[in-house]
Amino acid sequence: MRGRRRHLLVFAWLALAGVTLAGCGSTSNDAMRASLRALQTPTPSTASTKKPEPKVKCADATASLRPIGALQSHGRMPAGSFMSAIQRRGYLIAGVDQNTLLFAYVNPFTGRFQGFEIDLLRQIAKSIFGDPNRVVFKAVTTAQRLPYVQRGRVDIVADAVTMNCYRWREVSFSTVYYDAGQRLLVPKNSRVRGLGDLAGKRVCVTEGGTAFKYLAAYRTAHPRHHPIASPRPQSTDCLVALQQGRVAAIASDDAILLGFARQDPYTKIVGPRFTDEPYGMAISRSHPDLVRFVNAVLARMRSDGAWSALYRKWLGSVAGPQVLPKARYRD
Amino acid sequence: MELTTQLIERKPIERLRESITTTPGRMRLLAVLIALSAVGAGVVTATAATARKHAAHAVAAQTEPLLVEADGLYASLSDADATAATTFLTGGIEPVARRRRYVSDLRSATSELSTLSHQVGNDPVARAAVSTVVAQLPVYSGLVETARANNRQGFPIGAAYLRQASDLMRQTILPASGRLYALEARRLASDYGSGVSTGTYVAVALAGALALAVLIVSQLYVALRTRRVFNVPMLVGSLILLGVVVWTLVGFSAEQDALSRAQRKGSDSVEVLSATRILTLRAEGDESLALVARGGGDQYVADFSTVNSVLGHTGGRGLLSEAAGVSRQTGSAKSFAGFVSLLARYRNVHGRIAAFENSGEFGDAIKLAVGTRAKEAPLADRLNASLGAQIAVAQRRFRQAVGDATAALRGLSFGIPVVVAVAGVLALFGLFQRINEYR
């Protein structure tokens, strides 16, 4: 009898233990799994999806629309013209770069845009309003430059845009405002004088840029002795790579290299230009009147020495003297 | 030959026959069984108690503190990344408070690293992760300083150095520290698992039941054979053995309960909130880096929105809804709701900044983000502070529960062998009283 009672007691206890076991004592790793899964979120890939521009032929990519008559005095834009619409709005909207020292960049202390291209655009604003400050600068990326003009988000873009026949199909260009070309930037103690001295060495280029394409073509032409192109997502990344000794040289537009040389006095620009990069201001194809107006402003700046003054102000200390090439017109 | 073999073999066989057929023989056999089952029960119970105590102790003294260090390292490095970017964004003359925060992030990362490198043991993954962080952290801080030096001169290349620093942090250092963190989190989970293992519970119950059954059968046999219903020493021994088994199982149950509380109310909170903090810091870094890149930072804009959707909403599927669930379990729903409403405000300000960025008005975007009358940076600071406070509270809940767990097992592994020995000796004493009556 007693034995059976004890048996019952043990069974009762085991049953109780079973209930306890199944009830509050369990652990679960759901929270850990959720946290670890969230933390393993990968950074999105930054692979550029830039499509190469097709090659198109045309008579002269640097020829623009001829100004009509004399430049109107400011404040009296022809009725119905795009300039008078801008005047009614009260300010010009210009798309610019903000990372190219000397050409167009933001002064980190004042937060204001400054540089050669910025001053050129101020001259255009001055010609419309009589006030060089009537302009709103919008920072645009390389990919945004032409679409922004096409969609009318900006009136004009001055952002190191090389004039070429393909781009003429998308936008109109002013006459050339700066005659750039591809050159090399090397450390001051380097003996490199041109691409021929860089066989087997790494040369930094901006991904998808003109120098990148040029080096690929150079490689096809010189299958035995050619530099190794080392692409970086942004142009300033190339100066970092040069300072860290990861590349022997940078190939880029001299306009960009001038700013690099200014930021690092232990570098120099060497060799002849291996491409021509004529810069023009991009304007929508639906506003030929603004193109002619801008060309008239550039023509006046060429004749009264204002262009040369701007050149000396921004680039005179780092670049050799340059004259604005003669304007070419297509009509 | 034949005769000697028979002589030698007859004795043990006869002895065996005697012990099976005669009453004192059977009682002696029972005595052996009692001794064996009592020793077995004692060994099993003590071993199980020791295993559980080790697991609970490991959770309290090793794995959870290491997880906290790994999380601290991860958070310090994430905060350094975000702070360096935000400080850079404020321009050449950086606010002293931000600079101090960056420096203190590096200092705590270094101290957490040294703790971790001593204690992660010989796990190759952990060692590799620690040495990656140790090797790359000085490189990272060098890049940040180069970025600062260039920024102070107003050179755009400063931003490129900052980008490189952040890439190193995000692609090499943070993943290594994340691997370390994941490893520690899994170790903690496995210690919780051994702390509440069903195996030890069942083993103790079975061994105890077996020993009790042997005792009960012995007493029934003795009662039937000797007409003496009670054998006091055997009865007391049985009760003591039952007491030990109950004591152990109750202790296990209390420890199990406390450990599961430590997880549900403590470390679950810590882990979910830490993940939230690290992702929030990543988003803050993205915001600043995108503004530093001034239009060239598409990857940071994309990363911000990815991280934002991984965080999700409290009602949705993301980490926030998990965290909200955990906060309801822990009774800290109110402080978590405070965080969520702060985050909603932060996201709102981010929307305004993104709109400025999209229209190329970076000056206004930066003013809203970090200017003297900025809206975003103070919100980001409050987000971090809120998460930090909640993590500290969760950590306190953990400490308390895990203290209960070790207390529940106190004395078991020492007490069990002693008490079981006493019970066994009593039972044998009672049995031998009866056996001796046959002489």
Side-chain angles (χ1 to χ4, degrees), chain A residues 231-249:
Chain A
R232 296 286 192 281
Q234 295 190 33
S235 66
T236 43
D237 293 334
C238 276
L239 183 55
V240 171
L242 187 77
Q243 289 185 346
Q244 292 173 337
R246 294 172 197 268
V247 295

Side-chain angles (χ1 to χ4, degrees), chain A:
Chain A
M1 276 301 278
R2 248 163 215 95
R4 188 172 291 169
R5 210 174 280 166
R6 251 172 247 143
H7 267 298
L8 282 177
L9 203 72
V10 171
F11 279 127
W13 220 93
L14 281 177
L16 187 76
V19 170
T20 324
L21 204 71
C24 57
S26 61
T27 60
S28 134
N29 298 327
D30 292 349
M32 177 194 82
R33 276 192 218 103
S35 323
L36 291 185
R37 201 172 45 239
L39 286 175
Q40 274 157 8
T41 309
T43 40
S45 78
T46 55
S48 63
T49 50
K50 226 180 278 173
K51 272 182 257 163
E53 282 180 359
K55 273 216 155 145
V56 177
K57 285 205 168 170
C58 59
D60 183 358
T62 60
S64 182
L65 306 181
R66 191 179 298 277
I68 303 168
L71 192 61
Q72 299 88 345
S73 64
H74 59 78
R76 295 228 306 266
M77 294 298 118
S81 71
F82 187 51
M83 289 80 77
S84 70
I86 293 171
Q87 200 175 11
R88 271 199 304 282
R89 184 206 292 144
Y91 51 90
L92 177 74
I93 306 174
V96 293
D97 185 20
Q98 48 183 357
N99 292 315
T100 305
L101 198 68
L102 307 180
F103 263 73
Y105 65 105
V106 175
N107 182 325
F109 305 105
T110 61
R112 288 164 67 94
F113 285 88
Q114 58 189 46
F116 179 74
E117 285 170 340
I118 302 299
D119 278 356
L120 275 179
L121 289 164
R122 287 191 193 284
Q123 285 300 314
I124 292 162
K126 192 181 173 187
S127 304
I128 299 174
F129 299 99
D131 177 359
N133 294 320
R134 292 284 194 98
V135 50
V136 170
F137 295 108
K138 293 204 173 183
V140 293
T141 63
T142 307
Q144 291 166 343
R145 293 182 304 190
L146 302 189
Y148 269 39
V149 169
Q150 286 171 302
R151 278 188 242 132
R153 294 187 68 167
V154 295
D155 301 329
I156 186 167
V157 157
D159 182 4
V161 189
T162 301
M163 305 162 79
N164 66 33
C165 297
Y166 177 75
R167 289 174 178 169
W168 265 105
R169 295 179 169 197
E170 302 192 316
V171 295
S172 293
F173 283 103
S174 71
T175 52
V176 178
Y177 68 84
Y178 184 83
D179 185 24
Q182 304 261 324
R183 292 183 74 188
L184 290 174
L185 186 82
V186 294
K188 227 164 200 159
N189 60 358
S190 167
R191 288 185 185 160
V192 169
R193 315 286 320 153
L195 282 174
D197 301 329
L198 285 163
K201 302 239 172 77
R202 290 182 175 277
V203 173
C204 192
V205 290
T206 312
E207 262 169 24
T210 335
F212 187 58
K213 283 174 224 154
Y214 183 81
L215 281 193
Y218 187 92
R219 181 179 179 160
T220 323
H222 305 81
R224 285 172 178 278
H225 295 284
H226 59 81
I228 302 159
S230 177
R232 296 286 192 281
Q234 295 190 33
S235 66
T236 43
D237 293 334
C238 276
L239 183 55
V240 171
L242 187 77
Q243 289 185 346
Q244 292 173 337
R246 294 172 197 268
V247 295
I250 302 171
S252 188
D253 288 10
D254 51 11
I256 289 166
L257 297 183
L258 285 172
F260 284 179
R262 175 78 184 74
Q263 292 178 72
D264 185 349
Y266 297 100
T267 60
K268 60 182 177 185
I269 300 173
V270 295
R273 284 186 174 184
F274 42 89
T275 62
D276 285 322
E277 310 289 341
Y279 289 170
M281 296 187 208
I283 296 163
S284 167
R285 287 179 68 89
S286 46
H287 301 307
D289 47 355
L290 183 60
V291 179
R292 293 182 199 277
F293 179 82
V294 167
N295 285 344
V297 174
L298 285 174
R300 192 194 61 200
M301 290 181 72
R302 183 183 288 106
S303 57
D304 69 4
W307 187 91
S308 299
L310 278 188
Y311 181 86
R312 273 197 307 278
K313 175 183 171 191
W314 291 106
L315 306 162
S317 60
V318 281
Q322 198 192 82
V323 284
L324 183 59
K326 199 170 180 304
R328 299 170 69 86
Y329 298 112
R330 50 180 60 188
D331 58 351

Side-chain angles (χ1 to χ4, degrees), chain B residues 37-51:
Chain B
S37 65
V39 168
V43 167
V44 166
T45 314
T47 311
T50 311

Side-chain angles (χ1 to χ4, degrees), chain B residues 199-261:
Chain B
T200 49
Y201 209 93
V202 170
V204 169
L206 282 182
L210 189 71
L212 276 174
V214 167
L215 276 176
I216 287 162
V217 167
S218 310
Q219 281 171 81
L220 284 176
Y221 183 77
V222 169
L224 282 172
R225 286 286 148 171
T226 62
R227 310 277 166 206
R228 291 187 204 199
V229 178
F230 291 112
N231 180 318
V232 176
M234 284 184 90
L235 194 60
V236 171
S238 309
L239 288 177
I240 289 178
L241 191 66
L242 182 66
V244 167
V245 173
V246 170
W247 176 31
T248 310
L249 292 183
V250 166
F252 277 16
S253 175
E255 173 253 15
Q256 194 157 323
D257 189 41
L259 263 196
S260 106
R261 203 166 67 239

Side-chain angles (χ1 to χ4, degrees), chain B residues 75-404:
Chain B
S76 304
L77 293 173
S78 302
D79 197 63
D81 183 48
T83 309
T86 314
T87 313
F88 188 93
L89 192 58
T90 56
I93 301 167
E94 53 196 18
V96 180
R98 299 234 158 245
R99 173 71 185 163
R100 281 202 187 129
R101 178 162 154 191
Y102 169 77
V103 172
S104 103
D105 281 335
L106 285 193
R107 196 183 300 128
S108 27
T110 316
S111 114
E112 282 138 3
L113 254 185
S114 80
T115 309
L116 283 165
S117 68
H118 286 304
Q119 294 186 9
V120 286
N122 288 322
D123 186 286
V125 175
R127 293 240 70 92
V130 166
S131 72
T132 300
V133 181
V134 167
Q136 296 303 319
L137 197 53
V139 180
Y140 168 80
S141 69
L143 289 170
V144 169
E145 295 312 312
T146 313
R148 279 181 77 217
N150 278 293
N151 201 32
R152 285 196 85 106
Q153 298 178 74
F155 290 162
I157 192 193
Y161 270 103
L162 183 76
R163 209 159 48 234
Q164 203 185 43
S166 187
D167 281 354
L168 177 66
M169 180 56 93
R170 286 160 170 240
Q171 279 159 24
T172 309
I173 303 178
L174 282 179
S177 119
R179 282 196 292 279
L180 208 54
Y181 176 80
L183 191 84
E184 294 303 336
R186 293 206 181 89
R187 275 186 187 164
L188 178 64
S190 118
D191 278 349
Y192 275 134
S194 17
V196 302
S197 81
T198 323
T200 49
Y201 209 93
V202 170
V204 169
L206 282 182
L210 189 71
L212 276 174
V214 167
L215 276 176
I216 287 162
V217 167
S218 310
Q219 281 171 81
L220 284 176
Y221 183 77
V222 169
L224 282 172
R225 286 286 148 171
T226 62
R227 310 277 166 206
R228 291 187 204 199
V229 178
F230 291 112
N231 180 318
V232 176
M234 284 184 90
L235 194 60
V236 171
S238 309
L239 288 177
I240 289 178
L241 191 66
L242 182 66
V244 167
V245 173
V246 170
W247 176 31
T248 310
L249 292 183
V250 166
F252 277 16
S253 175
E255 173 253 15
Q256 194 157 323
D257 189 41
L259 263 196
S260 106
R261 203 166 67 239
Q263 189 190 40
R264 273 185 298 117
K265 307 220 161 183
S267 63
D268 274 1
S269 275
V270 171
E271 288 181 25
V272 173
L273 290 169
S274 298
T276 309
R277 173 165 68 175
I278 285 160
L279 288 177
T280 312
L281 287 168
R282 180 161 148 189
E284 287 163 20
D286 283 330
E287 178 86 305
S288 297
L289 288 164
L291 285 171
V292 167
R294 288 174 167 272
D298 287 348
Q299 76 266 36
Y300 303 116
V301 175
D303 193 58
F304 186 98
S305 65
T306 309
V307 168
N308 210 13
S309 68
V310 168
L311 282 173
H313 293 276
T314 44
R317 287 166 48 88
L319 188 62
L320 283 190
S321 81
E322 180 80 27
V326 172
S327 80
R328 278 194 297 276
Q329 263 180 17
T330 57
S332 52
K334 205 177 158 195
S335 42
F336 188 73
F339 166 78
V340 170
S341 76
L342 275 179
L343 186 66
R345 284 170 63 194
Y346 177 86
R347 282 170 165 169
N348 187 22
V349 177
H350 165 76
R352 286 166 62 197
I353 289 175
F356 277 134
E357 276 182 278
N358 280 335
S359 52
E361 286 151 63
F362 289 91
D364 292 331
I366 291 169
K367 262 185 219 150
L368 198 53
V370 297
T372 42
R373 308 180 70 167
K375 292 263 185 289
E376 191 174 49
L379 272 175
D381 292 347
R382 286 175 65 191
L383 281 175
N384 297 336
S386 159
L387 285 173
Q390 289 183 67
I391 290 171
V393 171
Q395 186 61 24
R396 274 204 294 283
R397 282 198 300 266
F398 167 82
R399 292 251 136 254
Q400 184 147 28
V402 93
D404 291 350

Side-chain angles (χ1 to χ4, degrees), chain B residues 61-77:
Chain B
Q62 285 179 329
T63 35
E64 213 271 352
L66 267 190
L67 178 74
V68 170
E69 291 289 328
D71 167 54
L73 176 69
Y74 205 166
S76 304
L77 293 173

